[in-house]
């Protein structure tokens, strides 16, 4: 059986950042990766996908962005390339093409079953992330067989879909981006909108990420956030490179907006009539965030040097949203942009609460020596973002070193 | 256990008890399963009387402090005696009461003192549906509008946020905006 002191599972940005942190602390380790660095960015996302955060925000520990386009948004493929380069630069000991199938606790640490044979380790870091599997509502089973159903990890581009109208379910980052691209390709898109997070791409002359960064919002600690379990379930913001993808912008392109998909009945999809409560709630929350930014700017030495507040227009629903849609005729495709979930089924240990959610305290699991990275608000608001890896891996690598010292002293 | 005294409440909602219940039920999901009931007796014409007494919840049968009754009838324009509001007006009243209870609770939780809360509700209906004149017209409301007029120690943004949160947590708002499976049987 192969052995390493530490095993990191997943060579995405978080796993690689942890590899660098462990190398700095001289902790012998390997990184097990089912594909290569940045596998999901290459193989499980659509062709046109670009990063939601500007290039300057996507630096990794020891490798800040140094290219010429600090303020633009690199493609997912370019980001995967940068991860590959990063892995080489930091000499990360990545074992590619190794799929972990089971993790168990042993007397002297952990046993990691893989499709390439077992490994053992004293400590394990799960860096497989929060977006491993697409989440699809149970009612998808009742969609008529003539309609193509596709999740966002399998969707590639408009041309790969059958001709005809498309129902996109979900209006977070993935849903609004795909709805925009399909509508621009000449199709009629109907977008079913549930709870969503609206933010402008730019505010007061700067990228929204700049403000979230400098005002300290992205660095808020998990313990400072009210109703943490709800905050951890907030979906990704309606952002897309430099283009506006809020509901006003999508309607201007011709996308038809309707409420949350709530049932299928008699060959029809039924939508909630409560959409307006969700859009006004999203506007309120957006304005609350923008107010925090305004307050921060107002407290600065020379607030006058910053562009005046340019609050986005309130969301306007052009026509009364439809309440039902015939699942036949011109509708040929349903895109499920209903979110992703982590996959922790392979961790065969008592780690989960009654609802099946992984229990952890800032990434420290209730089984000693086991850590998790990259989950929403793991330790800070930015934990699941690219920029969250630096501080989280720093903190947890200290904990790992102490754990290993304690193991050896025992 | 510390009890919230009456004086610390701004709007008379015992939010602490609700928050305690929420924490307790999170750990005991079975106790959160409730069944609400109403019984209805035909009186005469289109006049009927519903009575509401018991319900199931917290793992056992429960009862109201007293039974309640609600009469429903139709106005003379529907050739009836007008002995009570129409059922659809009772639905509007249920929505209003549910949202208003939400506003009061959320305000209490956020430390906002309410001076007055008034909700005005309208539901549009084309009665060609219920009269069977036009099969393409639905029986129910085409649209429902709720207008709140709230006087409170809070900014207009905070009041808007109260109303938004009240909708988010409202049972009747959900009942009206989302489909519900309804089974009707005859014994």
């Amino acid at each position: 059986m192969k052995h390493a002191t530490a095993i990191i599972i997943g060579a995405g940005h978080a796993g690689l950042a942890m590899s660098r942190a462990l190398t700095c602390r001289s902790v012998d380790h390997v990184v097990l990766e089912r594909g290569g660095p940045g596998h999901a960015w290459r193989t499980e996302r659509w062709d046109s996908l670009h990063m939601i955060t500007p290039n300057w925000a996507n630096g990794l520990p020891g490798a800040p962005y140094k290219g010429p386009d600090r303020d633009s948004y690199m493609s997912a493929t370019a980001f995967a390339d940068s991860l590959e380069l990063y892995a080489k630069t930091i000499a990360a000991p990545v074992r590619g093409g190794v799929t972990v199938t089971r993790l168990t606790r042993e007397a002297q640490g952990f046993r990691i079953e893989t499709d390439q044979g077992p490994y053992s380790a004293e400590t394990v870091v799960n860096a497989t992330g929060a977006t491993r599997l697409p989440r699809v509502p149970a009612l998808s089973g009742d969609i008529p067989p003539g309609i193509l159903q596709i999740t966002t990890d399998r969707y590639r581009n408009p041309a790969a879909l059958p001709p005809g109208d498309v129902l996109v379910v979900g209006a977070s980052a993935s849903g609004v981006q795909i709805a925009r691209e399909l509508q621009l390709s000449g199709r009629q898109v109907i977008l079913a909108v549930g709870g969503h997070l609206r933010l402008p791409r730019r505010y007061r002359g700067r990228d929204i990420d700049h403000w979230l960064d400098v005002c300290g919002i992205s660095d808020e600690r998990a313990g400072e956030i009210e109703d943490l379990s709800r905050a951890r379930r907030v979906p990704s913001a309606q952002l897309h490179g430099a283009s506006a993808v809020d509901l006003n912008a999508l309607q201007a392109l011709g996308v038809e907006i309707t409420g949350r998909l709530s049932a299928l009945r008699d060959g029809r999809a039924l939508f909630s009539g409560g959409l307006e409560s969700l859009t006004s709630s999203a506007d309120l929350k957006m304005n609350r965030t923008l107010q925090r930014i305004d307050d921060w700017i107002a407290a600065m030495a020379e607030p006058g040097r910053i562009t005046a507040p340019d609050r986005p227009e309130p969301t306007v629903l052009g026509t009364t949203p439809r309440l039902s849609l015939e699942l036949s005729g011109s509708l040929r495709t349903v895109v499920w942009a209903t979110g992703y979930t982590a996959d922790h089924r392979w961790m065969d240990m008592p780690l989960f609460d009654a609802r099946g959610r992984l229990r952890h305290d800032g990434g420290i699991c209730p089984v000693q020596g086991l850590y998790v990275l990259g989950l929403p608000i793991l330790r800070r608001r930015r934990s699941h973002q690219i920029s969250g890896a630096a501080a989280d891996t720093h903190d947890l690598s200290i904990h790992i070193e102490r754990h290993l010292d304690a193991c050896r002293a025992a | 256990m510390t009890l919230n005294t009456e004086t610390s409440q701004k709007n008379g909602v015992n939010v602490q008890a609700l928050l305690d219940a929420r924490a307790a039920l999170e750990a005991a999901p079975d106790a959160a399963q409730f069944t609400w009931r109403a019984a209805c007796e035909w009186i005469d014409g289109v006049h009927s009387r519903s009575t509401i007494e018991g319900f199931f919840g917290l793992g056992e049968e429960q009862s109201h402090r007293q039974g309640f009754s609600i009469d429903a009838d139709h106005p003379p324009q529907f050739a009836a005696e007008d002995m009570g509001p129409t059922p659809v007006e009772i639905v509007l009243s249920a929505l209003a009461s549910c949202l208003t209870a939400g506003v009061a609770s959320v305000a209490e939780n956020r430390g906002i003192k309410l001076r007055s809360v008034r909700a005005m509700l309208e539901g549009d209906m084309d009665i060609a549906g219920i009269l069977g004149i036009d099969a393409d017209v639905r029986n129910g409301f085409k649209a429902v509008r709720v207008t709140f007029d709230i006087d409170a120690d809070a900014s207009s943004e905070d009041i808007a946020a109260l109303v938004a949160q009240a909708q988010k947590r409202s049972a009747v708002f959900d009942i009206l905006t989302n489909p519900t499976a309804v089974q009707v049987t005859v014994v």
Side-chain angles (χ1 to χ4, degrees):
Chain A
M1 181 158 36
K2 287 166 246 179
H3 177 84
T5 304
I7 286 185
I8 299 167
I9 302 165
H13 68 277
L16 293 174
M18 182 56 96
S19 170
R20 181 177 181 273
L22 294 184
T23 299
C24 291
R25 293 179 187 280
S26 305
V27 176
D28 143 70
H29 68 281
V30 297
V31 185
L32 303 182
E33 163 57 49
R34 66 198 159 115
H39 180 74
W41 290 108
R42 274 189 214 292
T43 63
E44 294 175 357
R45 298 295 182 266
W46 56 101
D47 297 346
S48 69
L49 177 65
H50 281 61
M51 304 303 283
I52 203 171
T53 41
N55 293 337
W56 61 259
N58 298 335
L60 286 167
Y65 179 80
K66 285 190 182 141
D69 302 313
R70 283 179 50 79
D71 295 323
S72 55
Y73 312 86
M74 73 176 77
S75 70
T77 316
F79 182 68
D81 290 344
S82 79
L83 287 180
E84 225 162 77
L85 179 65
Y86 184 65
K88 287 198 186 99
T89 311
I90 63 170
V94 177
R95 306 281 176 273
V98 180
T99 299
V100 173
T101 52
R102 189 160 177 254
L103 175 69
T104 48
R105 184 88 176 107
E106 301 277 286
Q108 298 294 318
F110 297 89
R111 179 184 170 92
I112 301 107
E113 309 273 0
T114 81
D115 61 351
Q116 308 292 319
Y119 286 76
S120 65
E122 284 150 63
T123 181
V124 169
V125 180
N126 174 356
T128 58
T131 58
R132 210 23 219 101
L133 300 172
R135 205 167 33 191
V136 175
L139 56 77
S140 62
D142 297 328
I143 299 269
I147 291 179
L148 174 77
Q149 300 185 52
I150 193 162
T151 46
T152 49
D153 62 326
R154 310 271 306 271
Y155 169 80
R156 286 297 166 269
N157 55 58
L161 298 186
D165 299 350
V166 183
L167 171 64
V168 176
V169 183
S172 294
S174 299
V176 294
Q177 291 182 20
I178 291 171
R180 177 177 185 273
E181 154 169 308
L182 287 168
Q183 185 73 29
L184 287 172
S185 79
R187 291 156 191 273
Q188 180 57 52
V189 173
I190 299 129
L191 178 64
V193 178
H196 55 278
L197 180 64
R198 185 183 181 202
L199 280 177
R201 177 77 269 176
R202 293 180 73 79
Y203 184 61
R204 304 192 69 169
R206 301 297 294 263
D207 195 288
I208 191 70
D209 276 296
H210 166 78
W211 296 121
L212 298 176
D213 205 59
V214 297
C215 297
I217 295 174
S218 294
D219 283 315
E220 276 177 326
R221 307 293 294 239
E224 298 168 352
I225 293 167
E226 213 181 316
D227 205 345
L228 180 60
S229 75
R230 188 171 66 184
R232 282 177 166 160
R233 284 180 276 121
V234 168
S236 57
Q238 294 173 328
L239 292 171
H240 171 48
S243 323
V245 278
D246 63 16
L247 300 181
N248 288 345
L250 292 179
Q251 287 180 100
L253 295 175
V255 173
E256 182 186 332
I257 307 291
T258 188
R260 186 195 298 277
L261 175 61
S262 50
L264 303 178
R265 191 188 286 169
D266 305 330
R268 303 179 76 86
L270 304 184
F271 303 102
S272 168
L275 174 59
E276 211 178 295
S277 81
L278 298 180
T279 57
S280 51
S281 177
D283 285 355
L284 276 166
K285 284 179 190 159
M286 172 184 71
N287 280 312
R288 214 176 292 153
T289 302
L290 299 180
Q291 187 61 50
R292 279 184 72 177
I293 294 169
D294 289 346
D295 293 345
W296 184 86
I297 292 171
M300 279 179 37
E302 292 180 84
R305 291 178 55 193
I306 298 187
T307 323
D310 48 344
R311 297 285 177 99
E313 293 294 316
T315 304
V316 177
L317 298 170
T319 49
T320 304
R322 70 163 72 226
L323 296 172
S324 74
L325 174 68
E326 197 105 35
L327 292 173
S328 56
S330 57
L331 183 84
R332 299 290 304 284
T333 308
V334 175
V335 177
W336 297 111
T338 33
Y340 295 91
T341 175
D343 181 7
H344 295 143
R345 293 170 300 182
W346 47 274
M347 297 203 290
D348 194 359
M349 279 171 278
L351 297 167
F352 306 96
D353 69 13
R355 287 189 200 162
R357 290 186 300 217
L358 179 69
R359 290 183 293 136
H360 69 86
D361 178 9
I364 300 158
C365 293
V367 166
Q368 274 202 0
L370 181 62
Y371 301 86
V372 63
L373 278 173
L375 302 184
I377 324 183
L378 185 84
R379 301 180 66 81
R380 325 171 144 73
R381 234 182 236 290
R382 65 163 91 242
S383 281
H384 67 291
Q385 296 188 319
I386 310 302
S387 64
D392 284 7
T393 56
H394 171 80
D395 294 353
L396 290 179
S397 67
I398 294 173
H399 201 279
I400 288 171
E401 194 172 41
R402 287 195 192 132
H403 168 72
L404 292 172
D405 288 347
C407 286
R408 277 167 199 149
Chain B
M1 184 178 147
T2 46
L3 275 177
N4 209 357
T5 60
E6 287 289 326
T7 48
S8 72
Q9 292 170 14
K10 290 183 182 302
N11 307 314
V13 181
N14 190 344
V15 162
Q16 194 53 49
L18 295 175
L19 292 175
D20 292 347
R22 176 182 149 158
L25 291 177
E26 211 163 356
D30 285 348
Q33 306 309 309
F34 274 61
T35 299
W36 300 103
R37 301 196 186 102
C40 184
E41 192 89 27
W42 173 62
I43 294 176
D44 183 40
V46 292
H47 178 202
S48 65
R49 180 169 299 145
S50 292
T51 50
I52 293 156
E53 283 164 352
F55 58 93
F56 180 89
L58 304 178
E60 56 188 344
E61 283 301 320
Q62 309 280 355
S63 58
H64 282 284
R65 201 173 289 175
Q66 60 179 87
F68 297 101
S69 74
I70 302 169
D71 280 35
D73 198 355
H74 287 74
Q77 293 76 5
F78 288 74
E81 298 298 323
D82 215 2
M83 302 297 284
T86 62
V88 295
E89 290 164 324
I90 295 172
V91 170
L92 291 180
S93 130
L95 176 62
S97 298
C98 195
L99 290 174
T100 301
V103 166
S105 306
V106 177
E108 188 77 61
N109 193 35
R110 296 183 180 177
I112 296 172
K113 167 84 185 151
L114 298 171
R115 280 185 291 268
S116 73
V117 179
R118 181 170 290 112
M120 282 137 301
L121 285 87
E122 290 184 312
D124 300 334
M125 185 185 288
D126 179 348
I127 67 164
I130 54 174
L131 293 177
I133 296 168
D134 186 344
D136 292 334
V137 172
R138 72 179 285 185
N139 297 339
F141 293 124
K142 283 192 293 187
V144 172
R145 288 177 299 281
V146 184
T147 311
F148 269 104
D149 183 2
I150 297 176
D151 182 16
D153 286 328
S155 67
S156 56
E157 288 80 17
D158 287 345
I159 289 174
L162 278 184
V163 174
Q165 187 63 18
Q167 289 170 75
K168 195 173 171 188
R169 290 277 163 266
S170 166
V172 179
F173 184 84
D174 174 58
I175 288 165
L176 281 174
T177 54
N178 290 304
T180 306
V182 180
Q183 188 184 29
V184 180
T185 50
V186 180
V187 291

